[in-house]
Amino acid sequence: MTGSSISSESSVRPDGVPEQRRANERSAVAEAMRCLADVRAVTETLYEAVGELDDGRMHEPSRLPGWSRAHVITHLARNADGFVNLLTWARTGVEHAMYPSTADRDADIEEGAVRLAQVVHEDLRAASDRFAVASDRLSDSQWLATVAGRASMVFPAADIPTMRLFELWVHMIDLDVSVGFDDIPDAQFEGLLGYAVSRLDGRPDGPSVHLTVAMPDGSQRAWDLVGGSDGDVRQVSGSAAPVIAWLTGRGDGADLDGDVPALPAWG
């Protein structure tokens, strides 16, 4: 009886919250803070790339079908503002939708894409600054608040820095300005790969895949994609950069090993 009592007391705090949960929460907040530093650094890299685009190059096609570079950059600005809405929700407890509607989001991108290059750049910088300010205002407990993004996807606010970092890298590559997946710093790959997998996992139109990734430091990580398109689990392996290109629909998987399936459209 005494041993049981001691074990229980050691795993549950006086406030009734298990120690493991507290540790997980502290880890999530610490990861959010670390990732915000990465967001700031990558944002500066994006500013440099965008600042080199004159009006002609700004309105040339990007790597995304139907979108110019101005479309992509405007999307990144509106994405920052959308995350500001979610951070405000986490801070205040009052629901703020990421976007008023998908139609409004798309209209804002189309309207923004016809502007002069300097205006597009200034819009990106202003929106990114708003994101930075909103991030700095959250307390540790507010980072743990649950919010909902597009398609009613529910997640803690602590996931937002990784989501923003992912958007920055993938769409900076979409700009076709001599930046590729190989330029991602080694330490950022694991979080970005995990997020990419989470976007595809559970898709009823997707395949089931056991994915083994050779990380830049020589270690290996594995993820499982559970799909509904067939009952076979494909075995796919490769290094981090071509894997994330394939997962995001920016690569055909030709550099990967195994039975590499087609993936559902990224969205």
Side-chain angles (χ1 to χ4, degrees), residues 59-140:
H59 296 99
E60 289 175 350
S62 72
R63 292 178 175 175
L64 289 178
W67 270 18
S68 67
R69 292 189 176 105
H71 281 91
V72 175
I73 297 166
T74 302
H75 164 63
L76 281 171
R78 300 291 73 77
N79 172 260
D81 285 335
F83 282 138
V84 168
N85 289 338
L86 297 186
L87 292 168
T88 302
W89 180 352
R91 181 174 57 83
T92 65
V94 178
E95 182 174 349
H96 286 69
M98 188 170 185
Y99 302 107
S101 69
T102 298
D104 287 332
R105 167 189 173 272
D106 294 346
D108 285 344
I109 293 171
E110 289 297 331
E111 291 171 6
V114 300
R115 299 170 299 176
L116 295 174
Q118 184 60 34
V119 178
V120 174
H121 189 188
E122 290 173 355
D123 179 31
L124 173 66
R125 185 176 289 275
S128 299
D129 287 347
R130 288 190 290 270
F131 176 82
V133 170
S135 298
D136 288 342
R137 296 184 70 184
L138 263 66
S139 67
D140 286 1

Side-chain angles (χ1 to χ4, degrees), residues 31 34-35 162-163 165-166 186-198 215 221 223 244:
E31 176 61 18
R34 186 201 63 75
C35 194
T162 295
M163 297 166 74
L165 185 66
F166 185 90
D186 294 354
Q188 295 179 21
F189 267 114
E190 185 168 347
L192 297 176
L193 282 162
Y195 179 66
V197 167
S198 74
M215 304 301 288
R221 283 296 316 275
W223 285 271
I244 198 168

